[in-house]
């Protein structure tokens, strides 16, 4: 089998003692930052990414994989233990996971999440290995109009899957796009929307937005809650391992979740969120006794956790085949890869197949490492989360500042972070969910470039987007999603699903 | 007299209007071009106009349809947290990482009511040491420990 040969080559390049050690370190740091309440995978990866800058590409890639899985698992841990999801895809895990923790079964819940994630991660990686190469051949047929329509679809998905009001989410996406356009126009070299501030010539940096709107705002919101409502952790932490009965109930759910997640993850714009919701709904439908859900059903942890990990894994496919990040985390990873001279996309697959297969191998290593390192250390993470919030929040704030400063070495970026924290705070008070803004921010400049090229090709005729079959199909799907979102029946399920 | 039924929506609508308005206004200085040859102002102006449109819709909805009230907004956590971060960021290059971190911890502690000063100081010193170790020695980042850069 050709794929197997490639994998062996990838592993032999990736598996050195140094690489494995850095992967371990990445997993540890990722989990350590990721378990901090309110710090989801996005700020965690943003904070840790700079560590890999000085390394050789392969080591950096493997450490990145470790950080990625660590950050995600850290988020799940926080969801289960303190009922504080760091991001939308962990919301579902909170429902039954936190109930299990309250019943003193935090150990089995965390172990189930870890094992489910391992299984899902490995299957997802196989999925990438099997489908990315043929898909990249297909991706070479993509032209500017198709890219533009794909991005429209990605943003529509992000809107449909966001919490709360659809119309406000649309506004968030558009504001994100506008923010993404700040800086020097690639086409004319003209400074746009910089207000004469030289720090904005290169555009608005990603890190201050993410850390300000997600990290700092979360701290403020936690401090606002009266002392009693603040995070409390169930101190009952008896045994770690799931019982045989747990296993019997959990593994079919994990397998179903993995299958669902692997497929949904390929979709642009928030596949992981969709996957965990879909998996939860499916498990509830399939269960003999649906009333157990919401009261600590282990399937409600195993299914969605596997689904969102499988999806998080297969969301690498659009990045690796089209060079298009389908969510904020992928955009960060892409940034990390580009710094090491790897421009993800169809070209990377054909020009540097070695790197692609080494990347796939590092995903496997990262997944395994995560479980190896985390299961024995669960007790430590639990104790860490037990620390009083008055010690935790200055640590989070300090990490945000030093993280921004260490990457950019400009005090101006810290001012930007404060501005975005204030902006994010106001948005939340007005009932606007800021996640779609981030995706708009990333895709905005790419959309403009592709729109410009498309209209140049068609001499200003917008029907080009409907004439090309790929583009037309993507737009039709996007239109369908919008229709679904406005339909009353779907809206009801959506509201139910987001009810925390 | 118009009754505001959803202050959250009205606020969001007005905010969108302001952002979109600013976008259109600043975009005036940039060449719009034509669809065939998009100028630098083309895309941002269209996006800004759409933001304004949504702003109008959401604001009208805020007047017409009932929604949740504004959450209460305690000033102390908001101001102290933002101030502490700003102070740390701006003092970092002026007086060095170590003293800046202490100022930061003291201001941040006041995001809560009546912080314990001794505990805060001890904790601040510990945290500063950890961060210094991580960034200066661990990652060899050029952050000055004491004094301006």
């Amino acid at each position: 089998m050709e794929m197997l040969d490639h994998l062996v080559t990838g592993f032999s390049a990736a598996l050195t003692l140094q690489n494995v050690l850095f992967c371990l370190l990445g997993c540890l740091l990722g989990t350590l930052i990721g378990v901090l309440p309110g710090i989801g995978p996005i700020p965690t990866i943003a904070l840790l990414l700079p560590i890999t800058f000085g390394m050789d590409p392969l080591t950096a890639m493997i450490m990145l994989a470790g950080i990625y899985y660590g950050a995600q698992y850290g988020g799940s841990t926080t969801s289960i233990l303190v009922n504080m999801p760091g991001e939308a895809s962990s919301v579902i895990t909170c429902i039954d996971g936190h109930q299990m923790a309250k019943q003193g079964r935090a150990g089995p819940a965390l172990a189930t999440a870890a094992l489910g994630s391992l299984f899902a991660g490995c299957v997802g990686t196989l999925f990438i290995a099997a489908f990315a190469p043929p898909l990249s051949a297909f991706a070479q047929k993509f032209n500017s109009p198709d890219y533009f329509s794909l991005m429209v679809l990605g943003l529509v998905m992000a809107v449909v899957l966001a919490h709360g009001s659809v119309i406000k989410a649309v506004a968030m996406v558009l504001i994100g796009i506008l923010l993404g356009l700040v800086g020097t126009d690639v086409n004319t070299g003209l400074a746009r929307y910089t207000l004469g501030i030289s720090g904005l010539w290169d555009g608005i940096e990603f890190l201050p937005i993410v850390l300000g709107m997600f990290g700092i705002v979360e701290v403020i919101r936690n401090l606002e809650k009266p002392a009693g409502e603040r995070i409390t952790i169930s101190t009952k932490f008896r045994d770690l391992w799931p019982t045989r009965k747990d296993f019997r109930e959990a593994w079919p759910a994990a397998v179903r979740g993995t299958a669902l997640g692997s497929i949904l993850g390929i979709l642009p714009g928030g596949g992981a969120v969709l996957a965990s919701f879909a998996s939860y709904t499916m498990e509830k439908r399939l269960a003999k006794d649906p009333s157990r859900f919401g009261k600590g059903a282990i399937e409600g942890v195993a299914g969605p956790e596997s689904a969102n990990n499988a999806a998080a894994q297969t969301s690498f496919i659009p990045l690796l085949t089209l060079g298009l990040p389908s969510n904020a985390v992928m955009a960060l990873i892409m940034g990390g890869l580009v710094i090491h001279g790897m421009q993800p996309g169809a070209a990377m697959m054909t020009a540097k197949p070695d790197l692609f297969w080494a990347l796939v191998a590092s995903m496997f290593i990262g997944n395994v490492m995560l479980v190896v390192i985390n299961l024995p250390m669960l007790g430590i993470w639990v104790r860490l989360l037990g620390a009083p919030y008055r010690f935790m929040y200055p640590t989070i704030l300090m990490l945000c500042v030093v993280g921004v400063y260490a990457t950019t070495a400009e005090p101006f970026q810290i001012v930007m972070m404060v501005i975005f924290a204030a902006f994010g705070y106001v948005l939340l008070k007005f009932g606007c969910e800021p996640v779609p803004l981030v995706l708009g921010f990333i895709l905005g400049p790419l959309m403009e470039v592709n729109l410009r090229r498309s209209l140049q090709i068609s001499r200003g005729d917008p029907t080009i987007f409907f004439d090309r079959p790929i583009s037309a199909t993507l737009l039709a799907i996007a239109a369908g999603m919008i229709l679904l979102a406005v339909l009353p029946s779907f809206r009801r399920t959506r509201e139910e699903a987001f009810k925390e | 007299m118009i009754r505001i039924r959803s202050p959250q929506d009205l606020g969001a609508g007005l905010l969108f209007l302001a952002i979109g308005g600013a976008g259109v206004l600043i975009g005036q200085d940039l060449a719009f071009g034509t669809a065939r040859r998009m100028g630098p102002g083309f895309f941002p102006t269209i996006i800004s106009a759409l933001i304004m449109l949504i702003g109008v819709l959401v604001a009208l909805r805020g007047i017409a349809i009932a929604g949740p009230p504004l959450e209460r907004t305690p000033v102390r956590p908001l101001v102290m947290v933002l101030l502490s971060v700003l102070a740390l960021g701006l003092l970092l290059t002026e007086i060095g990482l170590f003293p800046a971190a202490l100022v930061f911890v003291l201001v941040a502690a006041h995001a809560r009511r009546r912080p314990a000063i001794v505990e805060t100081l001890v904790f601040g010193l510990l945290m500063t040491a950890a961060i210094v170790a991580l960034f200066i020695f661990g990652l060899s980042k050029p952050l000055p420990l004491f004094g301006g850069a």
Side-chain angles (χ1 to χ4, degrees), chain A residues 155 158-159 162-180 209 213-214 420 423-442 444, chain B residues 11-13 15-17 19 47 50-52 54-55 58:
Chain A
L155 292 177
V159 164
H163 292 237
S165 152
V166 172
I167 189 166
K168 283 182 189 166
V170 176
M172 286 294 101
V173 163
L174 293 173
I175 292 174
I177 294 178
L178 191 61
L179 291 171
I209 294 192
M213 293 183 85
F214 298 98
F420 276 104
F423 182 53
Y425 181 83
V426 173
L427 286 178
L428 278 180
K429 289 284 162 181
F430 288 156
C432 302
E433 174 70 32
V435 175
L437 183 146
V438 176
L439 196 60
F441 176 78
I442 298 156
Chain B
L15 181 68
F16 296 162
L17 257 177
I19 294 173
I47 296 289
L50 285 174
I51 296 172
M52 283 181 79
I54 293 179
V58 174

Side-chain angles (χ1 to χ4, degrees), chain A residues 116 120 253-254 256-262 271-272 275-277 279 302-312:
Chain A
R256 284 190 292 263
T258 303
L260 204 59
S262 300
S276 62
F277 282 120
S279 163
E305 268 300 292
S306 310
N308 85 40
N309 268 281

